[in-house]
Every structure is written in structure tokens, then in C-alpha cells.
Amino acid sequence: RLESVTGVQTCALPISFKSRFPDITLRIFVDDYAHLKVMMQAGRIDLAVISITEEDDRPAQGAVNLRREELVVALPREAAYCLEHPDAEFISEKQLPQALDTLDFIALDEGASIRRIEDALFRRLMYRPHVICEVEREDSATRMVDAGVGAAILSQEDVRGVRSIRSFRLDLPLYRENIMVLRRGAKRTEALTGLEELLVAQARSE
């Protein structure tokens, strides 16, 4: 019950934590910001790593900045736009509908930080992509783009090193913030303090 995480990779965290606190079992929940907030208010979790957008209400206190992530447009490498722009690194907002018109679009689940950002972007462009499905996890969307199912908006980290995906930065960059929040009134035990230290070190080394 020490932690709930979304937006930061946690694969190595249990090993690092267990080596320092062998008698404590780390319980990890993965959910969206709204649900994590409710769980924290109910005392079900003590520490959360959450992804927020510029429009989200930032916790009034107890929040620590971990990492700012840039979002990119991820396209299958053989998509028409990729073939027409073999050397491009950026895509303008005006070009985005052209790039997506011939592709299906993989949306993140409602409530996800990327979903809120992409919804705002498409409203601004007055454009509606052809959504083929919604997925809960970013790694699921990455695998679908990798398989050629369609396009998605993802973080740079999501697509780094995936050879069959071309990623394009937007000329007006999109960002989300990963922050760590401690539940108000949570007892700051040695284990909880250690967990905070591990999370900060891990996020800033990625």
C-alpha cells in the first residue's frame, strides 16, 4: 500500500525496494489520475506518481517534480506520410490531419493524460481522427503502432528504439509532467522515505 504509479517505469522498482526493505511488500496500483486521487483521499495509497497536463489541478502541497515528457506523433514506418517525408523530424499541427487521414488512430483510454492532451489538440484543429480502438496502457498502443495497426500520440520514451515506428515532434510541442505526491497525513516511515528516494533517482536517470 506504499505506492500507486502511472507515467514512470516501475519494472526495477520492487527489486531495489526489496533489497533495502526485505520485510515489506510493495503494493503497486496502476490507474488514471482521477482514480488515484480518489484512492489517496480514501487512504488506500500513501504515495502516487501521476502524469498531469497543464490544464490539470496540481496538488496544493506535497508534490515533487520528477520528469517532463514530450509527446510525439507515432506512425508506422511504412505509412504514406513517412514515405513522403523521409527526413522529417517535425510535423506541424496543420499537417497532422494529412498525416492521419489515411490511417486508423489508436486512442488512450479516457482519463489518461495523453488522451486529455490529444483530445484538446484535435478540438483545436477541429479534426476527428478515425479511432479504431481505445487502450488503457501506452505500451499496448506502442505495440499496435509497431504492428502497423494505426497511429497514436505517445511519449518519446514509449517509442524510443522501436524500429518500425517513425516519431514526429510537433512544431508546437506537447508535454506532460510526471510528479510524485505524498498523501496528506501519511506517516513518513523509513520505508516510505526510502521509496521516495528510489522514485526520484529512477525518474531522473531515465
Side-chain angles (χ1 to χ4, degrees):
R1 205 177 66 88
L2 284 174
E3 184 196 9
S4 175
V5 178
T6 182
V8 171
Q9 299 299 317
T10 61
C11 296
L13 185 64
I15 297 173
S16 301
F17 182 83
K18 199 70 172 180
S19 67
R20 290 181 60 177
F21 305 99
D23 297 327
I24 297 177
T25 298
L26 186 65
R27 187 175 183 188
I28 297 176
F29 299 87
V30 179
D31 213 326
D32 61 44
Y33 177 38
H35 288 117
L36 295 183
K37 187 175 180 180
V38 171
M39 292 172 72
M40 183 166 280
Q41 290 171 340
R44 293 186 58 196
I45 57 176
D46 298 318
L47 187 66
V49 175
I50 56 178
S51 296
I52 61 173
T53 73
E54 294 179 354
E55 286 72 35
D56 287 328
D57 292 330
R58 188 182 180 87
Q61 60 183 29
V64 176
N65 292 329
L66 294 178
R67 187 166 49 127
R68 191 184 196 204
E69 290 184 297
E70 184 174 356
L71 306 184
V72 295
V73 180
L75 305 180
R77 187 166 290 276
E78 298 303 315
Y81 187 86
C82 297
L83 299 177
E84 293 165 3
H85 302 82
D87 301 316
E89 296 181 13
F90 289 83
I91 185 171
S92 70
E93 287 193 357
K94 290 182 179 180
Q95 290 176 305
L96 188 56
Q98 172 194 344
L100 297 180
D101 266 347
T102 59
L103 296 168
D104 291 321
F105 189 77
I106 303 150
L108 272 294
D109 196 30
E110 287 189 20
S113 57
I114 290 180
R115 174 62 179 271
R116 297 195 299 276
I117 292 169
E118 67 192 20
D119 282 352
L121 171 64
F122 293 139
R123 283 196 301 271
R124 186 164 67 248
L125 295 175
M126 293 185 289
Y127 174 75
R128 181 176 294 180
H130 180 250
V131 176
I132 189 171
C133 65
E134 297 181 356
V135 295
E136 291 187 351
R137 296 173 57 94
E138 291 168 35
D139 56 354
S140 299
T142 301
R143 286 194 295 270
M144 294 183 75
V145 179
D146 185 28
V149 174
I153 292 177
L154 297 163
S155 75
Q156 284 185 324
E157 290 300 318
D158 289 328
V159 300
R160 192 182 305 279
V162 184
R163 295 183 61 184
S164 57
I165 292 179
R166 282 275 306 277
S167 62
F168 296 86
R169 301 171 65 191
L170 284 157
D171 58 347
L172 296 176
L174 300 176
Y175 294 100
R176 67 175 177 186
E177 299 281 348
N178 291 327
I179 64 173
M180 179 174 65
V181 184
L182 182 67
R183 179 173 60 83
R184 183 180 299 178
K187 185 178 180 181
R188 193 177 286 274
T189 62
E190 181 182 357
L192 186 56
T193 300
L195 181 58
E196 290 180 88
E197 293 170 354
L198 288 171
L199 281 165
V200 170
Q202 177 177 304
R204 295 179 181 175
S205 67
E206 291 177 349

